[in-house]
Amino acid sequence: MSNKLASLILLITLGLIWGTGYSIARFAMTHGVTPLGYSFWQSIGPAILLSLIVLFYKKNTRAGRIQQTPYLYYFICGLTGIAIPNSVMYFAAPHLPAGLLAVVVNTVPIMSYVLALFARVEKFNVLRLAAIILAMCGLLLILLPGNALPTLNKIPWIIVVLITPLSFAFCAVYVARFRPKHSDSISLSAGTLMTSSIILFPFILFTESFYMLHWPLATPDLVILLEIILSSIGYVLFFQLIKIAGPVYYSLVDTTVALTGLTWGYFLFHEKLTPWITLGVIFILLALFLVTQQQRTVKKINLAA
């Protein structure tokens, strides 16, 4: 499969998984699961599941072996890709409108592009920049209309929550720039998730936010287990997508997540597309088209060289 097609499939699949995760999380947290407790299960659950897969995989094959365990890599990815951004979002959420919070968090593509240029992971490209701008405009059109402008007392929280997209962007660029050689995405996902669980655990104890699973399993428990499976798949796709397509292309997963949310809203809650949302969807689809075409052009140039 060509990198272009594989990247697009990974992007859409990851967006569908993470977009569905928001609906699952909303259900869990409205049925007695604490936000931090849910976040911890999303981290430790996939960590255990993927670790078991890694042990079985390495026992039966020679593939995927890493000469030295990249503990520093795991720590930085777990800290900047899971622990910090998720914690900041949860602390800021009660103080900001949901739509405004979503707009701020989804500035990841812009920050990823700037950081990728400085890290020399990406080269400047007009089409890539235009695609990022179109995607961000699409998200603004979807999320901003109808939301009240923030009052002065909310501005500090807006500044604080900017840590979340900055942290996500830094993690994406770091993954692309310093991925260990001869490593596989499943092992990296397992190590990162286990490290983030260790980082989050003291905060869970301090805030008394741990959620204990019940037996027999209640509906919220089943929802948590479902999200553990989806998150396990999602993190593997995350590392694989960055490996073959780069951090800026990966950052467009936010737009796919937005489209997934709109789709679930339409089919499950009968939400109709307003003219603003329709225009935003068109912008997002055009952004994906531009990025895909630009990636194919770069590939042809590299092959010709």
Side-chain angles (χ1 to χ4, degrees):
M1 184 183 297
S2 67
N3 279 352
K4 168 181 168 269
L5 181 58
S7 299
L8 185 59
I9 292 175
L10 288 174
L11 180 73
I12 294 174
T13 305
L14 186 57
L16 289 173
I17 290 175
W18 283 353
T20 304
Y22 283 109
S23 299
I24 295 175
R26 185 180 300 111
F27 177 88
M29 285 182 282
T30 55
H31 287 77
V33 184
T34 61
L36 283 178
Y38 183 77
S39 177
F40 179 73
W41 275 113
Q42 282 191 45
S43 183
I44 190 64
I48 295 173
L49 180 59
L50 291 178
S51 295
L52 293 175
I53 294 175
V54 169
L55 290 176
F56 177 81
Y57 184 56
K58 289 186 176 182
K59 180 179 179 180
N60 291 275
T61 69
R62 294 183 178 181
R65 294 184 178 178
I66 302 176
Q67 297 298 325
Q68 294 182 347
T69 304
Y71 291 113
L72 178 61
Y73 185 86
Y74 290 156
F75 176 78
I76 293 177
C77 291
L79 182 67
T80 63
I82 300 175
I84 290 179
N86 288 351
S87 299
V88 171
M89 274 194 296
Y90 285 127
F91 280 114
H95 304 278
L96 294 175
L100 180 61
L101 180 63
V103 171
V104 175
V105 170
N106 279 293
T107 56
V108 174
I110 293 178
M111 296 189 179
S112 292
Y113 187 72
V114 175
L115 291 177
L117 288 177
F118 279 107
R120 298 181 180 179
V121 176
E122 297 277 350
K123 294 182 179 180
F124 178 79
N125 182 276
V126 175
L127 283 180
R128 182 66 63 90
L129 179 61
I132 298 300
I133 294 175
L134 277 174
M136 293 306 303
C137 289
L139 285 172
L140 288 173
L141 288 171
I142 291 171
L143 299 171
L144 196 55
N147 292 329
L149 292 176
T151 57
L152 290 177
N153 64 327
K154 296 185 183 298
I155 292 178
W157 282 106
I158 294 176
I159 297 174
V160 169
V161 84
L162 283 172
I163 296 173
T164 292
L166 181 62
S167 186
F168 278 138
F170 176 87
C171 180
V173 174
Y174 181 83
V175 166
R177 181 69 176 82
F178 297 103
R179 179 181 176 123
K181 295 181 179 179
H182 310 297
S183 62
D184 62 274
S185 297
I186 297 180
S187 298
L188 294 178
S189 300
T192 298
L193 286 161
M194 190 62 72
T195 304
S196 69
S197 302
I198 295 173
I199 295 173
L200 283 171
F201 189 68
F203 295 96
I204 298 296
L205 292 180
F206 179 75
T207 59
E208 299 181 351
S209 300
F210 183 75
Y211 177 82
M212 181 67 70
L213 295 178
H214 306 85
W215 187 262
L217 296 174
T219 302
D221 304 325
L222 293 173
V223 167
I224 288 176
L225 294 178
L226 173 61
E227 182 58 22
I228 286 174
I229 296 174
L230 292 178
S231 294
S232 301
I233 299 172
Y235 283 113
V236 174
L237 297 182
F238 163 74
F239 280 99
Q240 192 66 19
L241 180 59
I242 292 181
K243 178 181 179 181
I244 67 174
V248 175
Y249 188 93
Y250 149 76
S251 66
L252 287 174
V253 73
D254 293 308
T255 62
T256 313
V257 170
L259 291 175
T260 302
L262 289 173
T263 303
W264 279 118
Y266 178 80
F267 286 105
L268 296 180
F269 307 108
H270 308 290
E271 298 174 355
K272 295 182 179 180
L273 295 179
T274 65
W276 286 106
I277 293 178
T278 302
L279 184 59
V281 169
I282 293 174
F283 277 23
I284 289 170
L285 293 177
L286 182 57
L288 291 173
F289 174 77
L290 284 177
V291 169
T292 304
Q293 289 299 107
Q294 188 271 337
Q295 188 180 11
R296 182 176 67 177
T297 302
V298 171
K299 181 180 179 182
K300 287 183 177 179
I301 293 175
N302 291 337
L303 289 175

